Amino acid sequence: MEKYFKPGVFFLSLVPFLIIVYKIYFNQLGPEPVKEITHHTGEWTLIFICLTLAMSPLKRLTNLNVWIKFRRMMGLFVFFYATIHLLTYVAIDYRFDWMPIFVAMQGLPSSCCQGRRAVLSRTEMPASSYRPTAHPRWPGGS
């Protein structure tokens, strides 16, 4: 049953990205397109963080291990949407001009600083989630 749910969850997790691509393609972003993209990706980053953090309590409440099997995929979607959010802010909004970004960050509350540290410290998660030994035909596989 899990093999049918995982692709479904994957494609449902891509829906916010497809919505923003649709809005970009059909010019439906409104008068401030960069702000719309930044807010959309930021909101979905927070939603996926909440979904990822909800997996362990759901496992305890329902006594089903299936929730834990989706946690890794949800965590990777957190990183995906956070990366798009950051790239939108740095590349599109500021065009890699670092000084205004640093000046803008100095006036932000400390919770934003903690968020930046969290994103930077979690960049190893996607790199370490690649498991080539999971398939029997790959070298080192079982």
Side-chain angles (χ1 to χ4, degrees), residues 75-130:
L76 290 172
F77 273 105
V78 169
F79 185 77
F80 173 69
Y81 285 110
T83 302
I84 293 173
H85 177 71
L86 182 67
L87 285 175
T88 302
Y89 184 75
V90 172
I92 298 174
D93 201 8
Y94 282 95
R95 292 179 178 85
F96 296 104
D97 190 7
W98 297 102
M99 286 312 294
I101 293 172
F102 293 136
V103 170
M105 287 180 167
Q106 287 176 351
L108 295 176
S110 64
S111 63
C112 292
C113 295
Q114 292 170 352
R116 286 190 301 270
R117 278 194 301 260
V119 168
L120 290 175
S121 67
R122 295 296 166 222
T123 55
E124 79 275 358
M125 186 204 38
S128 65
S129 70
Y130 176 68

Side-chain angles (χ1 to χ4, degrees), residues 9-30:
V9 171
F10 181 84
F11 287 116
L12 283 175
S13 299
L14 282 177
V15 167
F17 178 71
L18 296 175
I19 288 171
I20 205 70
V21 168
Y22 172 84
K23 285 183 174 183
I24 291 169
Y25 186 75
F26 289 106
N27 199 18
Q28 300 291 317
L29 291 172

